[in-house]
C-alpha cells in the first residue's frame, strides 16, 4: 500500500476542492462537477459545495486515507477490537495490517490506524474550510451563513469526538489556524463541547434535507460527549429533553422503530426513520458509478453469498453466546460463555432461550438469512472464522440490483449498498439516558432508567420483528410473514419493577443491554473505554482506567481462541491499549517540520 505523507492537519487549498468535494455523496442533492477555482468557491454555491464535502466523509470513504480501512461504521476499531467479531476471511488476507489491530499487536505504522486518523483530520479540515469561506461569500444570506456555520461546527465536533475517543490527545485546529505543526498535549474535550453547543444554538430543529444535522442531533452528541467525560449531571437534562421533545431532521418525533430490522434496511422508505438521530447517507444506481455506495463496509459480506465476497467481520462465538437468556427472558450476565454450551456450535450446543435480536445481528447455521435461505457452509471462508456471518449490513436477495449497485465495471459493485451507516440511533440515546439516571449525583431516577431499558427490550420482544422458518421475507417492511415457526426459542422480557434499585445490578444490566442492542455497530470498544474511566484522563499522563476494559477483552481472547486460532498471541495491555497510537508518520512529519524537534507526543506505551 502506498505510503502517505501528510501534515498533522491537511489544509485544503481552494484549487483542490474539485472532485474531493463533488464526486461523492448526494445527501444534499447537489452535485457540483469540475475543478473549482478560488473565485468560484467564494459564493453561496461554493460554500455549500465545501459543506457537502465535509458531510461526505462521515462514512469514512473518499478524501485522504478513506476506504475500508477508515469506515465510518468503525467495524474494525469499535467492534473487532472489542470482541464483537473476528477479522474473518483467511488468515493471510489482511493478516499483516488488519489482524494486528484486533489482536493489539500492531506497530505504529499500521495502515488501518493511520488511515482513520488522516480521514478524520480531513473531515476537520473540510469543516474549517467551510468556516473560512463563509465570510468571502457575499451572496450568502445571513440566515444561511448562520446555519451553514453551525453545521460545520457540528461536523468538526463530530470528527474531533471520533479522534479524541480513538487516539486520546490529538492536535486541535480551528478555522483561524495557520501553523499546522501543532502539539497534542492539551485536553480538547472543552473544544468539542463548544462546537456542539454552538451547533445547538444556531441549527434549526428541522432541515430541508434529511442527511443534514439539526439542533437535536447536536444536543445528542453533546450529551454523548458528556458521557465520555463522566459528566453525568450535565448529560442527564439533555437526555430528558431529547426523549421528551427530540425530532429528526425531517421533523419526526424520536421513537424506536417497532421492528428492529428496520434500522438496517437499505430501502429508501425505511432509512432516516424516527429512530435515526444521525446517519451517513448512502445510495446506489444514481449515476455516480458506485461512488455513493457504502464502500466502507464492502468487505463485510458472507463469502460467496450475498455480495459474493469477502468473508470479513464474522461475529464472534462470545457475541453469539451473549444473546442467551434465562427462563425469565433475562440475560446471563456472567455465565453466557460456557464451554460445551455455545450457541449454534459444538457437539452440545445451547438449547435454551435466546434473545431474538441474535438472528437480526448474526447469520447462523440453520436460521433463515433474510430471503437468502439458510447460510451455506461455504459462506464461512475459513474454519478459523467460527460459524457466524455478519448480517446487519447485508441486503436481501430481492433487493440485489436495486439496493446493491449494478454499475458495470465496478469491481465491488455487488458489495456496494444503499445502506446508511447508523452513527446514532434513538436506542443509543435511551440506553445512555438510563446510564446517566444511574450515575448522576443529582436528579437521577432508577425507575426512569428501568423504563428506558425496558422500552428497548420490549421492542425486541415484538413477535412481528422475529425471524421465522418456512416464511417469506418482505424487504419493504423488514418482516417475515408470521405464518411459520419462530426460528429459535426466543424469549426476551423487561426487567421487573424495582430491579434497578440496586445500582450495581442496574449498571450491569444497562451495559449488557448496550452490548446486545448495538452489537456489530462499532460501539463496544468505546463503551468499554469510557466505563473503564480512561476517557476522562490525559492519555499521556500517569492516570489510567480501572482495568475493566482489559479484563473483558482479555476474557474474550481466552474464551474464543479455542475457536479462532487467529487470536493466538492477542493481548490487551491495561494502560496502553485503551487508545490507539498516533501514527508514526505524523510524528516523523512533525519532527521534519520543526528541525528535528517535533511537537507531537506518542501515546503512553507505544
Amino acid at each position: 500500500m502506498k505510503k502517505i505523507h501528510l501534515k498533522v492537519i491537511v489544509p485544503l487549498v481552494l484549487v483542490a476542492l474539485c472532485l474531493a468535494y463533488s464526486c461523492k455523496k448526494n445527501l444534499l442533492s447537489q452535485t457540483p462537477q469540475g475543478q473549482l477555482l478560488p473565485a468560484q468557491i467564494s459564493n453561496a454555491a461554493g460554500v455549500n459545495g465545501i459543506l457537502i464535502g465535509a458531510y461526505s466523509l462521515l462514512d469514512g470513504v473518499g478524501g485522504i486515507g478513506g476506504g475500508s480501512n477508515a469506515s465510518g461504521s468503525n467495524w474494525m476499531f469499535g467492534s473487532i477490537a472489542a470482541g464483537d467479531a473476528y477479522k474473518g476471511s483467511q488468515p493471510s488476507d489482511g493478516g499483516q495490517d488488519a489482524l494486528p489491530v484486533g489482536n493489539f499487536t500492531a506497530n505504529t505504522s499500521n495502515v488501518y490506524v493511520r488511515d482513520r486518523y488522516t480521514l478524520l483530520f480531513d473531515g476537520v479540515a473540510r469543516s474549517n474550510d467551510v468556516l473560512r469561506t463563509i465570510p468571502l461569500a457575499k451572496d450568502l444570506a445571513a440566515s444561511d451563513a448562520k446555519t451553514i456555520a453551525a453545521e460545520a461546527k457540528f461536523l468538526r465536533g463530530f470528527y474531533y469526538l471520533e479522534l479524541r475517543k480513538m487516539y486520546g490527545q490529538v492536535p486541535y485546529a480551528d478555522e483561524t489556524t495557520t501553523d499546522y505543526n501543532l502539539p497534542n498535549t492539551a485536553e480538547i474535550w472543552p473544544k468539542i463541547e463548544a462546537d456542539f453547543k454552538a451547533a445547538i444554538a444556531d441549527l434549526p430543529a428541522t432541515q430541508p434535507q434529511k442527511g443534514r444535522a439539526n439542533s437535536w442531533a447536536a444536543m445528542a452528541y453533546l450529551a454523548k460527549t458528556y458521557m465520555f467525560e463522566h459528566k453525568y449531571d450535565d448529560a442527564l437534562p439533555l437526555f430528558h429533553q431529547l426523549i421528551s421533545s427530540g425530532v429528526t431532521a425531517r421533523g419526526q418525533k424520536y421513537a424506536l422503530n417497532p421492528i428492529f430490522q428496520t434500522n438496517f434496511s437499505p430501502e429508501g422508505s425505511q432509512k432516516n426513520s424516527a429512530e435515526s438521530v444521525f446517519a451517513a447517507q448512502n445510495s446506489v444506481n444514481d449515476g455516480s458509478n458506485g461512488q455513493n455506495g457504502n464502500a466502507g463496509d464492502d468487505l463485510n459480506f458472507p463469502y460467496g453469498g450475498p455480495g459474493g465476497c469477502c468473508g470479513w467481520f464474522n461475529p464472534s462465538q462470545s457475541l453469539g453466546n451473549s444473546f442467551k437468556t434465562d427462563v425469565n427472558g433475562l440475560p446471563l450476565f456472567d455465565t453466557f460463555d460456557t464451554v460445551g454450551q455455545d450457541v449454534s456450535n459444538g457437539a452440545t450446543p445451547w438449547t435454551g432461550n435466546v434473545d431474538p435480536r441474535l438472528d437480526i445481528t448474526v447469520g447462523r447455521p440453520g436460521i433463515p438469512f433474510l430471503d437468502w435461505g439458510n447460510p451455506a457452509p461455504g459462506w464461512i471462508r475459513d474454519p478459523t472464522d467460527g460459524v457466524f456471518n455478519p448480517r446487519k449490513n447485508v441486503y436481501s436477495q430481492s433487493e440485489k440490483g436495486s439496493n446493491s449497485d449494478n454499475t458495470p465495471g465496478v469491481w465491488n459493485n455487488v458489495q456496494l449498498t444503499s445502506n446508511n451507516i447508523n452513527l446514532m440511533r434513538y436506542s443509543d440515546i435511551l440506553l445512555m439516558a438510563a446510564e446517566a439516571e444511574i450515575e448522576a449525583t443529582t436528579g437521577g431516577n432508577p425507575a426512569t432508567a428501568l423504563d428506558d431499558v425496558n422500552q428497548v427490550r420490549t421492542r425486541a420482544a415484538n413477535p412481528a420483528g422475529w425471524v421465522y422458518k418456512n416464511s417469506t421475507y418482505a424487504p419493504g417492511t423488514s418482516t417475515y410473514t408470521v405464518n411459520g415457526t419462530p426460528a429459535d426459542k426466543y424469549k426476551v422480557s423487561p426487567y421487573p419493577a424495582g430491579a434497578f434499585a440496586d445500582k450495581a445490578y442496574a449498571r450491569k444490566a444497562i451495559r449488557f443491554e448496550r452490548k446486545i442492542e448495538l452489537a456489530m455497530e462499532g460501539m463496544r470498544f468505546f463503551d468499554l473505554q469510557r466505563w473503564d474511566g480512561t476517557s476522562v484522563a490525559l492519555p499521556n499522563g500517569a492516570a489510567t482506567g480501572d482495568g475493566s476494559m482489559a479484563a473483558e477483552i482479555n476474557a474474550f481472547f481466552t474464551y474464543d481462541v479455542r475457536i479462532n486460532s487467529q487470536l493466538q498471541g492477542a493481548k490487551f495491555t491495561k494502560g496502553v491499549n485503551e487508545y490507539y497510537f498516533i501514527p508514526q508518520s505524523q510524528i516523523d512529519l512533525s519532527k521534519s517540520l520543526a528541525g528535528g524537534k517535533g511537537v507531537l507526543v506518542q501515546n503512553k506505551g507505544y
Side-chain angles (χ1 to χ4, degrees):
M1 188 171 291
K2 185 177 180 181
K3 191 175 180 71
I4 299 175
H5 296 279
L6 300 168
K7 289 189 176 181
V8 174
I9 299 285
V10 183
L12 299 180
V13 293
L14 297 179
V15 293
L17 288 172
C18 165
L19 303 177
Y21 286 167
S22 64
C23 286
K24 188 170 180 298
K25 297 298 161 195
N26 59 359
L27 78 162
L28 305 185
S29 301
Q30 299 183 47
T31 53
Q33 298 292 327
Q35 187 160 7
L36 302 176
L37 301 174
Q40 296 172 283
I41 289 293
S42 302
N43 53 45
V47 170
N48 274 288
I50 306 171
L51 180 64
I52 293 171
Y55 272 105
S56 78
L57 296 185
L58 289 171
D59 66 351
V61 178
I64 301 170
S68 300
N69 290 10
S71 175
S73 67
N74 274 322
W75 61 270
M76 173 62 71
F77 307 110
S79 283
I80 289 178
D84 272 4
Y86 309 138
K87 174 188 73 67
S89 186
Q90 296 169 318
S92 60
D93 187 13
Q96 181 178 354
D97 299 320
L99 185 60
V101 175
N103 286 2
F104 301 98
T105 58
N107 63 43
T108 55
S109 296
N110 182 275
V111 295
Y112 277 80
V113 180
R114 180 201 67 193
D115 287 357
R116 184 66 175 156
Y117 185 96
T118 53
L119 181 284
L120 291 170
F121 269 121
D122 193 353
V124 169
R126 294 182 182 203
S127 303
N128 284 335
D129 277 332
V130 175
L131 295 168
R132 290 191 188 99
T133 310
I134 287 173
L136 305 178
K138 303 306 180 184
D139 62 337
L140 191 63
S143 58
D144 291 338
K146 179 180 179 181
T147 299
I148 290 172
E151 287 181 78
K153 289 177 182 178
F154 170 87
L155 291 170
R156 183 171 65 189
F158 175 89
Y159 291 124
Y160 264 123
L161 175 57
E162 290 292 299
L163 283 159
R164 176 62 177 84
K165 71 187 190 184
M166 186 161 168
Y167 300 97
Q169 286 312 109
V170 294
Y172 187 88
D174 62 17
E175 70 275 19
T176 67
T177 300
T178 56
D179 180 1
Y180 294 97
N181 190 23
L182 298 167
N184 63 330
T185 51
E187 179 57 79
I188 68 167
W189 283 128
K191 303 284 191 181
I192 297 170
E193 288 181 19
D195 271 344
F196 288 137
K197 288 175 181 177
I200 293 170
D202 290 344
L203 281 174
T206 60
Q207 288 275 30
Q209 289 91 14
K210 54 197 173 188
R212 289 184 186 262
N214 67 349
S215 59
W216 292 106
M219 183 180 292
Y221 273 95
L222 177 60
K224 189 163 194 171
T225 299
Y226 285 149
M227 295 299 283
F228 273 93
E229 298 180 88
H230 292 192
K231 293 183 176 179
Y232 303 112
D233 289 6
D234 292 324
L236 187 57
L238 299 183
F239 286 127
H240 287 166
Q241 292 182 63
L242 289 160
I243 291 170
S244 66
S245 305
V247 299
T248 70
R250 296 196 294 181
Q252 300 167 283
K253 174 77 171 61
Y254 286 152
L256 295 175
N257 291 316
I259 305 299
F260 186 48
Q261 174 67 46
T262 302
N263 293 296
F264 317 108
S265 171
E267 287 280 315
S269 62
Q270 296 178 69
K271 298 195 299 182
N272 300 299
S273 67
E275 190 164 342
S276 180
V277 177
F278 193 56
Q281 306 291 308
N282 290 295
S283 62
V284 294
N285 306 320
D286 54 6
S288 67
N289 292 320
Q291 292 295 310
N292 292 330
N294 181 4
D297 295 318
D298 64 353
L299 300 176
N300 304 333
F301 287 84
Y303 185 64
C309 183
C310 292
W312 288 58
F313 200 37
N314 296 95
S316 71
Q317 184 64 58
S318 186
L319 178 66
N321 291 346
S322 299
F323 289 89
K324 295 176 183 177
T325 58
D326 64 17
V327 294
N328 297 312
L330 298 178
L332 305 179
F333 299 137
D334 302 311
T335 59
F336 60 90
D337 270 340
T338 303
V339 175
Q341 291 287 292
D342 286 330
V343 169
S344 297
N345 200 6
T348 57
W350 172 256
T351 58
N353 298 327
V354 294
D355 188 311
R357 285 172 288 187
L358 168 64
D359 291 321
I360 307 301
T361 305
V362 170
R364 57 188 180 118
I367 305 296
F369 190 104
L370 302 171
D371 57 357
W372 293 94
N374 294 343
W379 286 11
I380 304 293
R381 190 167 184 178
D382 189 273
T384 59
D385 297 335
V387 297
F388 301 138
N389 289 283
R391 192 180 183 282
K392 279 185 174 178
N393 66 300
V394 180
Y395 55 85
S396 67
Q397 187 174 30
S398 57
E399 294 171 289
K400 184 177 180 180
S402 58
N403 287 323
S404 68
D405 196 72
N406 61 17
T407 306
V410 176
W411 78 268
N412 61 340
N413 63 346
V414 291
Q415 294 121 249
L416 296 175
T417 78
S418 56
N419 246 338
N420 285 353
I421 295 175
N422 294 312
L423 299 172
M424 187 183 292
R425 296 196 280 115
Y426 182 57
S427 62
D428 189 1
I429 286 179
L430 284 172
L431 295 177
M432 285 191 291
E435 186 179 337
E437 296 282 2
I438 294 298
E439 304 293 354
T441 58
T442 58
N445 187 335
T448 302
L450 181 71
D451 179 69
D452 291 339
V453 173
N454 280 345
Q455 287 185 56
V456 177
R457 293 184 66 78
T458 299
R459 188 260 299 277
N462 178 9
W466 294 358
V467 175
Y468 290 86
K469 293 185 176 181
N470 305 313
S471 297
T472 303
Y473 178 75
T477 58
S478 291
T479 59
Y480 294 81
T481 54
V482 187
N483 60 3
T485 303
D488 206 338
K489 296 177 182 177
Y490 296 140
K491 189 172 182 61
V492 57
S493 304
Y495 289 97
F500 283 11
D502 180 337
K503 183 174 180 178
Y505 180 85
R507 181 183 290 128
K508 182 176 287 189
I510 293 165
R511 292 180 179 186
F512 205 86
E513 197 66 28
R514 288 187 66 82
K515 180 179 186 180
I516 54 181
E517 170 70 16
L518 301 169
M520 303 291 285
E521 296 185 51
M523 301 278 192
R524 190 63 179 173
F525 182 94
F526 304 108
D527 277 345
L528 294 175
Q529 179 196 81
R530 63 187 179 84
W531 296 330
D532 182 271
T534 301
S535 61
V536 299
L538 289 172
N540 294 318
T544 59
D546 62 18
S548 59
M549 186 179 189
E552 176 161 328
I553 294 177
N554 284 327
F556 157 71
F557 290 146
T558 298
Y559 191 82
D560 277 49
V561 71
R562 65 191 177 84
I563 294 167
N564 187 338
S565 60
Q566 294 188 59
L567 300 179
Q568 290 285 351
K571 181 183 178 182
F572 185 103
T573 301
K574 178 182 180 294
V576 176
N577 297 131
E578 291 88 354
Y579 289 107
Y580 294 93
F581 49 80
I582 305 299
Q584 187 61 42
S585 59
Q586 298 298 310
I587 293 176
D588 292 343
L589 183 56
S590 177
K591 291 179 179 178
S592 72
L593 295 172
K597 296 181 180 180
V599 295
L600 272 184
V601 179
Q602 183 58 273
N603 287 333
K604 189 174 66 172
Y606 291 105

